[in-house]
Amino acid sequence: EAMLKKINEGGSKMPAFSGIIKGKEEAIIAFLSGTGKKKLLSKEEAIMEIQNNISSHKEVENESRKNDTAYNYLNLNAYAQFTDANGHPAIKPPWGMLNAINLNTGEYEWKIPVGNDAVLQKKGAEITGLWSSPGPMVTAGGLVFIGGTRDKKFFAYDKTTGKLLWETILPGIGSSTPCTYLIEGKQYIALSVGGDKNNPAGYLVAFALIEQG
């Protein structure tokens, strides 16, 4: 089953769960496809969960003694964001910052918000900044490129000052740290972009740097 393969092997930011679900494959498929037993009463559910936790703890304890290894830890809250009841950030902006640190002194050279939620931005206030997973890339010429914000924008900043020099809108949310390469003396910047309704598989987008002179 495709579902089971994805759960076992993982994909994108989701880790592989093969070591966690071993022996429980049929139950998981039944649950996901809705072919399992009707939902148990909450009291029965609670009792079963306690029993399963105790059983699981004993199994892990025995296995740990046998192999002389530490317990496995799985972070089920990876990439989770702190949001309110409406799904908006539960803290005041900025919600995404790009920081430049001087590695000689350890001091911040500049800090700027990246990305903007025009709906939640207060009138006259600075842009909100947006959460982003991909990191920035710095070119030898002193440009900082970064994408990944929910407004689907791709930005170029001045490495020295943090000044925004250029921005464009991508066909989807940037899903990778940009890379750069040279072909026949011309430099390009490329990144992968998440899918949309027109192209669920996503995109590879490349830009050529403008030649000066």
Side-chain angles (χ1 to χ4, degrees):
E1 291 248 5
M3 284 190 295
L4 195 58
K5 186 174 187 297
K6 179 63 70 175
I7 295 170
N8 271 313
E9 298 177 1
S12 185
K13 295 179 182 178
M14 184 185 87
F17 287 87
S18 54
I20 305 296
I21 69 169
K22 190 174 182 181
K24 305 180 181 69
E25 291 86 351
E26 288 185 12
I28 289 172
I29 292 300
F31 172 77
L32 292 175
S33 60
T35 59
K37 296 178 181 179
K38 291 182 179 179
K39 188 176 181 181
L40 298 172
L41 295 174
S42 57
K43 187 176 180 181
E44 293 174 321
E45 233 177 9
I47 293 172
M48 183 173 286
E49 184 178 354
I50 292 170
Q51 291 173 338
N52 288 339
N53 286 341
I54 293 172
S55 175
S56 175
H57 177 73
K58 287 181 178 177
E59 287 177 12
V60 172
E61 197 173 41
N62 292 336
E63 192 67 25
S64 179
R65 287 201 191 101
K66 188 194 303 180
N67 299 326
D68 192 28
T69 58
Y71 293 153
N72 289 329
Y73 173 73
L74 182 65
N75 183 3
L76 296 177
N77 291 316
Y79 308 106
Q81 298 178 46
F82 184 35
T83 58
D84 63 17
N86 297 315
H88 299 143
I91 58 174
K92 66 180 182 179
W95 300 314
M97 297 287 291
L98 180 62
N99 305 311
I101 300 174
N102 186 320
L103 297 183
N104 293 316
T105 64
E107 300 294 325
Y108 286 97
E109 291 291 323
W110 47 261
K111 301 180 182 182
I112 55 168
V114 176
N116 188 46
D117 188 323
V119 175
L120 297 181
Q121 181 187 19
K122 292 184 178 180
K123 188 176 181 179
E126 189 177 29
I127 62 173
T128 64
L130 292 171
W131 182 87
S132 173
S133 179
M137 181 202 70
V138 185
T139 69
L143 296 176
V144 180
F145 288 92
I146 189 169
T149 50
R150 204 169 58 249
D151 54 8
K152 301 181 183 178
K153 289 187 176 181
F154 187 45
F155 306 95
Y157 297 93
D158 183 289
K159 182 186 77 170
T160 305
T161 64
K163 180 183 177 182
L164 177 64
L165 302 175
W166 171 84
E167 67 178 50
T168 189
I169 297 178
L170 299 168
I173 298 174
S175 56
S176 72
T177 297
C179 69
T180 184
Y181 55 92
L182 203 65
I183 297 180
E184 298 180 352
K186 195 166 190 176
Q187 187 175 6
Y188 296 84
I189 304 293
L191 75 162
S192 63
V193 175
D196 55 22
K197 64 180 180 180
N198 298 318
N199 182 17
Y203 304 80
L204 284 175
V205 180
F207 301 90
L209 293 187
I210 298 174
E211 297 179 3
Q212 301 294 325

